[in-house]
Amino acid sequence: MRLHHRAELPAQVDHLWQRLLDVETVAACFPGARATWAPDRRSFTGTVTVGLGPVAVGYAGEGRYLLVDDERHEVTLTARGRPARRRGDVTMTVRAVLRPRGADRTDLALTTELDLAGAGLSLAQPAAERIAAPLVHRFLRRLAS
């Protein structure tokens, strides 16, 4: 499943770029997430808890930055996690592109490839877009602060 989000953020492109390159900052901006760098500073481990209707599901996993283009302000990362008490896994690849829009504003485009596999997780796919929208909105607000 592919999700697209675009926003104009009230922050300079360089400020947002530095924040996107720090996975611990990125995780702190995403509700329910935590991440820790691996020694190579390209890979990370983390956890996230997501509410799927009345049920909260916790995931643990790992990821890495695949592409960091400082000139074009484009970054791609991938992550894979497993639910603590269920079978299956979630894989996602996120591409973020920043473009300056005036002195203190930046356009941000996010494209997320999301794959939910396993017992019960495939049933959550139809709700994923509805669930993702408010989470991404909160993430973007926190990222711009």
Side-chain angles (χ1 to χ4, degrees):
M1 164 184 355
R2 181 175 286 172
L3 305 172
H4 298 280
H5 297 91
R6 291 187 175 277
E8 182 181 321
L9 301 177
Q12 294 178 343
V13 70
D14 290 333
H15 171 73
L16 292 171
W17 182 243
Q18 291 307 312
R19 291 176 63 78
L20 280 174
L21 296 183
D22 182 358
V23 73
E24 292 172 351
T25 299
V26 168
C29 293
F30 193 86
R34 292 178 51 105
T36 304
W37 282 112
D40 66 6
R41 297 286 293 180
R42 287 287 247 190
S43 303
F44 54 90
T45 59
T47 60
V48 65
T49 300
V50 179
L52 301 172
V55 177
V57 181
Y59 296 88
E62 65 281 331
R64 69 179 290 111
Y65 280 77
L66 299 175
L67 170 75
V68 176
D69 187 330
D70 291 317
E71 286 185 31
R72 298 186 63 190
H73 293 112
E74 296 182 20
V75 62
T76 302
L77 63 89
T78 188
R80 181 178 182 180
R82 293 183 179 260
R85 297 184 181 165
R86 293 188 173 93
R87 293 185 183 179
D89 62 3
V90 175
T91 305
M92 70 176 202
T93 301
V94 179
R95 180 175 180 251
V97 179
L98 300 173
R99 297 290 180 253
R101 185 180 189 112
D104 293 325
R105 301 197 70 76
T106 301
D107 285 331
L108 171 62
L110 286 177
T111 303
T112 304
E113 292 285 341
L114 183 64
D115 182 32
L116 304 171
L121 291 177
S122 60
L123 298 175
Q125 281 192 326
E129 281 188 59
R130 189 181 79 251
I131 293 166
L135 292 175
V136 170
H137 181 71
R138 277 185 260 160
F139 167 75
L140 294 175
R141 262 198 340 252
R142 292 175 180 178
L143 185 68
S145 65

